[in-house]
Amino acid sequence: MSYETAVARLFALGHELAQTPSQKFDLAHMRVLLQGMDHPERRFPSVLIAGTNGKGSTAATLASILRASGLKTGLYTSPHLARINERIRVNGEAISDDDFAALQGEVDQVAERLVGRAELPWHPSFFEMMTAIAFEHFAREKVDLAVLEVGMGGRLDATNVVEPIVSVITDISLDHQKFLGNTVGEIAREKAGIIRPGGAVVTLPQQPEANDVIGNTILELGTRAVNAVPYVPPVSPGSPEYLVPSPESRVPSTEQSRSRFVYRYPLAVLGEEILVETPLVGRHQLRNMALAVAAAVELHQQGFDGITAKGIERGVGETRWPGRFQVLAARAGWPEIVLDVAHNPAGAWALRSVLSEQYGDRPLIFVFGAMRDKAISEMTEILFPLAERVIATRPENPRAASPEEIRQAGARTGAEIEVVDDVSLALERARAVAGAGTVVVITGSIYLVGEVMQSIGVDV
C-alpha cells in the first residue's frame, strides 16, 4: 500500500470526532483491536497527559526533556498541523512515509479480520487506528518511554488503554461539551479517568470545580498526587523581568521563525539550581512547563536515573512545538506574523494575554478561521476587540465554519470583519492591507494555522 493510499483510507473513516447514534466511544473495542495486534501498548512504559488546554505543549516539553536525558522517546500528539506523520515521533523524528503506510496496512488487516469474525461490531475509528499505529511503532522502535497526549476527554479516549507510570492533568475548561459535559466539573470527571489506583498523577491547582473532582478521584483511588507548584516561577504582571529578548545565538540561521522573547528564570530541581529558558511564550506555558518538569522529576524518582537537572534545563530550552505563539519576523513584502492555534475560549484568553504583553502598542490584523462546533462567539468577543481588522476565512476541513458564520458571530464586537473564503487569498489580503508595524495574527484553529504554514513554507 502506498503512503497516499494509507492516508486516504484513514481519512475515509471520517474526522476525529465523527460519531453516529449507534457508535459510542468505548474502550472495549480498542482493547479488542490491540489484543489482535498482540498488545503493543504493553511493550513500552508510558506517560499519559489529559487536559483541555496545554496538554500538547506539556507533552512536547516532557518529551524534549527525556530526549535530552538520553532516553529513546516516543511522542504521540493530535491533531497535526500539516502532515499526519507529525502525530507519531521517536526522538523528535516523525514516522517515515514507508513505515506509516506499512503499519496502517497491517492494523487495517487486523481490524477487518476482527470485524469479519464479529469480534468488533464495526471498523475502528480514525483516532483508534492512529493510536494503534502509534503504539505498534513505539513497540517496534523499542522506545524507553512514550509520552501520550489524550485526544479528547480521558476516561473513554483510545489512549486510555495503557497503564501509565505517571498521569498528568493540565488545565481544564469548557470544550467539546457535546461529548464531555456542559460544566467544568463534568469535563474534569472525564479527564480524571486517566488517574490510576495506586499510581502517580501530576497536577496544578486550577478552577475549584476541577480541583474538587481531581482531588476526590485521587482520594478514592489511593493515587499519589504530585504537585507541580514548586516549578511554577513567580511570573505575574508585576514581574516582567523574567521575559527577556530571545538570544540571537540560540537561533539557527536556517530557522524560519522564533519567538521575540523567552522566559528565563532560576529553578530548583533535583537538589540543583538550573536556569530555565523556555521558548514557549505566555504565562499559560509556564504552567505547562512546570507540569512537564514535575513529571520528569517523578520519573527520575521512579528509577529513570538518566533524568538529571541539567537534562531538564537543556530539554526545556530545546522544546519545539510549532504553531504556539510562533513568530515569523517581518521580511521584504511581508509583515510580522504570529501563528497560534487557540481554538477555544481558554486558548483565546491565553493568546490575548500574550498579544497584550508583547504587542500592546502595535496594530493587529487577525486572519481567523474556526471549527463550527467550537464556541466561536465567545472566542470573537475575547479576540476581535484587539484587532484593527479581522479577515474571516475557512480552512479545508468539513467541520469548518463558513466566513459568513464567523462574521455573524463576531458582529457584536464592533470589529471590522471582512469575509474571504480561501485561506491563501485571506493571507494575501492581510498582507496587502498591513501598514508599517502591523502584526498579522493567524488563529482560531490548528487546521488554519497548519494550512497557512504550508502555504508560506514554514517547517512543522
Side-chain angles (χ1 to χ4, degrees):
M1 184 186 300
S2 71
Y3 171 76
E4 291 75 17
T5 301
V7 172
R9 288 184 66 119
L10 274 171
F11 283 133
L13 297 173
H15 65 76
E16 288 169 278
L17 301 182
Q19 185 184 31
T20 65
S22 62
Q23 192 165 341
K24 305 289 186 184
F25 293 108
D26 190 341
L27 288 187
H29 299 158
M30 187 65 187
R31 292 191 175 104
V32 169
L33 175 62
L34 293 174
Q35 183 177 3
M37 297 168 58
D38 194 25
H39 288 293
E41 82 284 4
R42 296 178 182 175
R43 287 181 254 148
F44 55 85
S46 60
V47 175
L48 191 56
I49 302 177
T52 304
N53 290 88
K55 57 185 187 292
S57 297
T58 303
T61 303
L62 177 58
S64 183
I65 290 170
L66 299 179
R67 290 198 308 275
S69 302
L71 294 167
K72 189 172 187 180
T73 306
L75 175 63
Y76 179 52
T77 57
S78 61
H80 58 274
L81 280 165
R83 303 185 81 235
I84 202 167
N85 308 49
E86 297 166 34
R87 298 168 180 243
I88 304 170
R89 296 180 182 268
V90 174
N91 279 352
E93 293 295 322
I95 185 173
S96 71
D97 290 0
D98 288 346
D99 286 347
F100 186 88
L103 286 175
Q104 195 281 333
E106 290 178 32
V107 177
D108 203 44
Q109 285 184 352
V110 172
E112 289 178 354
R113 185 174 71 245
L114 293 169
V115 172
R117 293 176 179 172
E119 294 179 46
L120 282 177
W122 44 68
H123 194 284
S125 69
F126 171 91
F127 191 72
E128 288 169 334
M129 289 289 292
M130 280 299 307
T131 303
I133 292 168
F135 289 168
E136 186 64 32
H137 184 60
F138 295 155
R140 292 186 184 185
E141 287 290 316
K142 296 182 170 57
V143 299
D144 295 318
L145 194 61
V147 180
L148 310 175
E149 178 192 359
V150 168
M152 183 182 70
R155 184 175 61 92
L156 297 178
D157 188 80
T159 58
N160 201 31
V161 295
V162 300
E163 287 301 322
I165 56 177
V166 176
S167 300
V168 182
I169 297 181
T170 68
D171 289 343
I172 295 170
S173 59
L174 294 176
D175 199 12
H176 296 305
Q177 289 97 311
K178 175 182 174 184
F179 301 97
L180 303 179
N182 293 315
T183 67
V184 168
E186 289 173 347
I187 293 172
R189 273 187 279 279
E190 295 299 316
K191 309 291 184 185
I194 70 165
I195 298 174
R196 295 293 187 267
V201 58
V202 179
T203 63
L204 277 171
Q206 48 182 299
Q207 295 189 55
E209 280 186 88
N211 287 340
D212 288 347
V213 171
I214 294 167
N216 288 333
T217 303
I218 288 170
L219 290 173
E220 290 166 8
L221 298 180
T223 304
R224 185 162 47 84
V226 178
N227 189 355
V229 166
Y231 307 110
V232 179
V235 174
S236 68
S239 58
E241 68 271 19
Y242 296 106
L243 187 67
V244 299
S246 179
E248 295 290 341
S249 60
R250 294 286 186 90
V251 183
S253 59
T254 57
E255 187 69 54
Q256 299 177 36
S257 60
R258 62 182 176 88
S259 175
R260 294 168 65 240
F261 296 93
V262 296
Y263 277 118
R264 185 188 299 146
Y265 49 87
L267 200 64
V269 175
L270 293 173
E272 298 181 34
E273 184 172 283
I274 63 175
L275 185 64
V276 168
E277 189 175 280
T278 174
L280 298 181
V281 176
R283 295 188 186 101
H284 61 293
Q285 292 289 10
L286 296 172
R287 290 174 60 84
N288 302 330
M289 185 282 306
L291 290 164
V293 170
V297 171
E298 172 62 24
L299 289 167
H300 170 87
Q301 293 171 347
Q302 288 197 26
F304 288 87
D305 298 333
I307 300 172
T308 64
K310 285 300 177 186
I312 291 172
E313 180 182 75
R314 196 171 118 221
V316 171
E318 292 176 352
T319 301
R320 190 169 184 276
W321 194 226
R324 282 72 183 177
F325 208 84
Q326 183 172 357
V327 179
L328 309 183
R331 63 189 194 277
W334 286 90
E336 187 167 335
I337 295 174
V338 171
L339 301 159
D340 193 87
V341 300
H343 62 275
N344 57 31
W349 277 118
L351 173 58
R352 177 171 174 153
S353 173
V354 188
L355 288 171
S356 298
E357 185 176 67
Q358 296 206 27
Y359 296 112
D361 58 347
R362 303 267 297 273
L364 305 177
I365 293 175
F366 280 84
V367 177
F368 185 90
M371 297 300 103
R372 185 176 286 112
D373 54 9
K374 296 294 184 175
I376 298 175
S377 292
E378 193 171 346
M379 292 170 67
T380 64
E381 290 174 6
I382 296 165
L383 292 173
F384 287 12
L386 298 181
E388 183 179 78
R389 181 192 304 255
V390 175
I391 300 170
T393 190
R394 171 166 36 195
E396 290 186 21
N397 186 287
R399 290 167 50 213
S402 72
E404 182 58 32
E405 287 173 316
I406 292 170
R407 190 192 65 76
Q408 292 174 7
R412 289 192 305 172
T413 66
E416 180 182 340
I417 305 173
E418 292 185 42
V419 169
V420 181
D421 200 67
D422 180 82
V423 169
S424 295
L425 293 178
L427 186 60
E428 282 299 321
R429 176 62 177 158
R431 179 182 175 185
V433 299
T438 298
V439 180
V440 174
V441 181
I442 316 292
T443 192
S445 167
I446 191 168
Y447 302 103
L448 172 65
V449 171
E451 201 170 320
V452 168
M453 292 174 80
Q454 282 185 290
S455 72
I456 60 180
V458 176
D459 293 336
V460 297

